[in-house]
Amino acid sequence: MKFCKSIITTAIVLSACSLNIQAKVSEQDAKQLGTSLTPLGAEKAANKDGSIPAWTGGITQAPAAYSVGDHHPDPFAQDKPQFVITAANYQEYSEFLSPGQIALFKAYPDTFKMPVYQTRRTASLPQFVYDATIKNATTAQLVSDGEGVENAIIGVPFPIPQNGLEAIWNHVLRYRGEGVARWGGQAGPTASGDYTMIGFDEQVMFLYSQQDMTSAKIAEDNIISMFKQEVTSPARLKGTALLVHETLDQVKQPRQAWTYNTGQRRVRKAPNIAFDAPGTASDGLRTTDDFDMFNGSPGRYNWTLVGKKELYIPYNSYALHAKGVSYDDILKPGHINPQLTRYEKHRVWVVEANLKDNMRHIYQKRVFFIDEDSWQIAVADAYDARNELYRVNMTYAVNYYEVPATWTTLDVYHDLNSRRYLALGLDNNEKMYDFAVKLDKGDFTPQALRRQGLR
């Protein structure tokens, strides 16, 4: 796998393999942010051959036809694929593919395709997030052997990362608004394509991202987000609920989680909602820490920042996001419908996580490919105890104009052994996410979870 040189000094990239290097970024290096680097630390310039253009601010205003509450219209609907990668020609493009993507061509040679479009660097965030990120660059640091962060708030903590843990924390703490209510579901088609929809109502408070939050306050409370999920369908699962308080320092206080079971009509503490426990109603097709591509404590792995490379990743996935697209049109045997996907060449950070000798997890190794413009994990390749590819996970991102923020519209987890996949975030026939929802910490207590279950 070839890696491109970064504007960020080679010394920083090479030294990033060691967790012992935790020095804060110097004021001089931080001056690159907003000049040669974007405010989030991406390379602002185009790549050598121009196939990745310069970043000029991303999407700064919504298309004229858009109103808040709409599914977000495609600003590039007139674009046509430049070429299509298939099982017959993927070797010509292998330099820009992950091992997992190549495995999908081999697993589904007749049907898996990657239509590649013009690269459009659409990622954008509010100015106050950029300002916070630039400030974080010279103050943030890892604590608790990398299982926590201090002296950072609102923006990504390490826009010029010096090791793999800093890079993965950037993903975990990236800005996705201050809160959101969302509706949708997931499905795990069988090898023949049959599926059952699992419906979800979810609410999230991103406490770390609140515009008036301070690093001192977030450190005191040690909670970066609160997440509540209720299953709405099918009938046999309806009413099952989950509550999670995600912590900033996982050693000081691990994640707190509770579940509500409709049969027992009781709320129970759920310390097992972590690591490789199966995800909610996922049929064993993803782990708990696969949610959002990675979440929770990083403590079971040794993390290495391998470097940067150019990769074809899902991007500007507005066709997949469009209102009214039927789930039958999306969910096909083996993988989602390639005709609804859009891949672009982007620079990604490559972060490798290897399981520590004294730890257990079904993934022995994980390799994350993180979009430099948004810190969203775009592709994650997971390996089993034999060091063989086990799962290939991809996120399909759009810019949510009203925030603005780049986040996924669909996460897809491919299990190469069972030849099945899980599509999480299906929302084409639901009302659109509400980023203006008024949420209160009182909505995210075990008592509130019980009251909700009893309704």
Side-chain angles (χ1 to χ4, degrees), residues 22-40:
Q22 295 186 24
K24 299 171 188 174
V25 172
S26 70
E27 294 282 356
Q28 187 62 34
D29 284 338
K31 288 180 179 178
Q32 297 176 85
L33 299 169
T35 55
S36 59
L37 302 179
T38 74
L40 292 194

Side-chain angles (χ1 to χ4, degrees), residues 373-393:
D373 286 336
S374 65
W375 290 101
Q376 167 75 52
I377 294 173
V379 180
D381 291 349
Y383 295 77
D384 62 19
R386 302 167 296 173
N387 203 35
E388 294 183 1
L389 265 169
Y390 178 11
R391 288 179 177 158
V392 185
N393 307 328

Side-chain angles (χ1 to χ4, degrees), residues 74-253:
D74 187 351
F76 314 116
Q78 302 306 312
D79 285 2
K80 303 297 182 184
Q82 295 178 329
F83 54 91
V84 178
I85 306 175
T86 69
N89 67 3
Y90 77 84
Q91 292 181 339
E92 299 175 33
Y93 305 99
S94 59
E95 178 182 352
F96 306 111
L97 299 171
S98 84
Q101 291 172 325
I102 290 172
L104 291 175
F105 285 114
K106 293 179 179 179
Y108 308 104
D110 297 328
T111 56
F112 184 72
K113 297 177 174 62
M114 290 173 55
V116 177
Y117 289 74
Q118 174 185 351
T119 297
R120 297 186 181 272
R121 296 178 69 178
T122 51
S124 60
L125 293 173
Q127 184 61 46
F128 75 89
V129 182
Y130 294 147
D131 294 342
T133 297
I134 292 171
K135 183 178 179 180
N136 289 342
T138 56
T139 61
Q141 58 187 19
L142 298 172
V143 295
S144 300
D145 291 328
E147 292 197 59
V149 175
E150 69 178 10
N151 299 326
I153 200 64
I154 300 172
V156 297
F158 308 107
I160 305 177
Q162 299 183 66
N163 57 61
L165 272 166
E166 290 185 351
I168 204 67
W169 272 110
N170 284 347
H171 167 78
V172 171
L173 294 174
R174 73 199 188 282
Y175 185 83
R176 287 156 284 172
E178 299 185 30
V180 64
R182 57 185 186 178
W183 302 266
Q186 69 181 24
T190 64
S192 63
D194 296 331
Y195 65 89
T196 298
M197 281 292 300
I198 308 294
F200 293 129
D201 282 358
E202 297 175 342
Q203 296 178 332
V204 192
M205 279 188 76
F206 297 110
L207 298 173
Y208 173 91
S209 300
Q210 302 286 320
Q211 191 167 354
D212 60 353
M213 186 59 69
T214 66
S215 58
K217 177 64 174 174
I218 206 77
E220 178 184 347
D221 293 346
N222 198 37
I223 298 176
I224 56 176
S225 63
M226 294 179 173
F227 171 85
K228 186 167 62 176
Q229 178 190 73
E230 181 180 4
V231 179
T232 58
S233 64
R236 62 183 172 83
L237 296 175
K238 185 176 181 179
T240 301
L242 170 67
L243 172 66
V244 175
H245 292 180
E246 195 69 86
T247 56
L248 182 62
D249 186 331
Q250 296 266 343
V251 172
K252 179 180 178 181
Q253 182 185 37

Side-chain angles (χ1 to χ4, degrees), residues 5 43 49 69 93 106 176 205 231 236 278 302 305 312 358 374 382 387 421 424 434 438 446:
K5 286 187 177 181
E43 296 174 40
D49 65 7
Y93 305 99
K106 293 179 179 179
R176 287 156 284 172
M205 279 188 76
V231 179
R236 62 183 172 83
N302 291 315
L305 185 59
Y312 293 123
N358 60 335
S374 65
N387 203 35
Y421 67 97
L424 173 61
D434 181 2
K438 301 300 182 184

